[in-house]
Amino acid sequence: MQAATEVVNKNANRSWTIRFLAIETPKTVHSWTDSSSSRDTNISKVHNGQTVTPGKIPLSTKVTVQSASSAASPPQLRKNNPIEMIEPVLQDAQISYDVKDKVWDALMDESSGWSARLSQLQTVDMDEGLRLFLTEHILADSGA
């Protein structure tokens, strides 16, 4: 019996995409390999961060990706918008429209801070799983 083996050509090129989650990066990013100077790098915004595509690179090559930002404006973590994350779940939730309206009214009360909105949500009679979901997303980045 003969075992199947696969030989990887270390000089073969492969296209790479690197995803930086929850990062707001500047519009310019440079990448280079250990055998080249700066190379063409594409950067794309995706819903949860940025993707950097340095192009085709040999498998055995080290790649460095660096933001071209200045020391005065380094890349920042992106703050999540709890409303963006909650809205699709709330729309699809199988709960009464009355509960949805109360939750939505509490979320959209811009005259109150997130702590007050969270307190309003605690008074709404809803499933505990939904309450925990709402609480987690509100407290994640809101500073409540």
Side-chain angles (χ1 to χ4, degrees):
M1 186 168 183
Q2 189 176 15
T5 59
E6 183 179 334
V7 178
V8 176
N9 180 354
K10 290 188 177 186
N11 293 322
N13 288 334
R14 175 174 273 170
S15 293
W16 297 94
T17 299
I18 304 159
R19 181 181 302 239
F20 293 99
L21 298 175
I23 299 266
E24 296 265 346
T25 60
K27 294 179 176 154
T28 308
V29 172
H30 298 292
S31 67
W32 60 91
T33 62
D34 50 5
S35 62
S36 73
S37 58
S38 185
R39 43 189 307 120
D40 291 335
T41 303
N42 295 323
I43 186 165
S44 303
K45 185 173 177 77
V46 293
H47 76 280
N48 61 348
Q50 303 280 343
T51 59
V52 175
T53 309
K56 289 191 176 223
I57 299 169
L59 295 175
S60 62
T61 304
K62 177 183 173 185
V63 178
T64 304
V65 177
Q66 182 177 7
S67 165
S69 63
S70 66
S73 62
Q76 299 291 317
L77 285 176
R78 183 186 61 162
K79 285 194 132 209
N80 290 323
N81 180 347
I83 303 296
E84 285 179 4
M85 295 183 289
I86 291 171
E87 183 178 15
V89 174
L90 187 59
Q91 287 178 350
D92 291 342
Q94 295 184 3
I95 57 175
S96 73
Y97 286 110
D98 183 49
V99 172
K100 286 183 183 186
D101 287 342
K102 288 179 182 176
V103 169
W104 192 250
D105 289 345
L107 290 173
M108 300 309 292
D109 182 9
E110 293 182 3
S111 65
S112 301
W114 283 109
S115 296
R117 295 183 212 186
L118 192 56
S119 295
Q120 288 176 329
L121 288 172
Q122 299 303 317
T123 65
V124 177
D125 184 24
M126 70 177 92
D127 178 72
E128 190 62 23
L130 179 59
R131 184 184 319 281
L132 291 173
F133 170 82
L134 295 169
T135 302
E136 179 179 344
H137 282 81
I138 289 170
L139 293 176
D141 280 337
S142 66

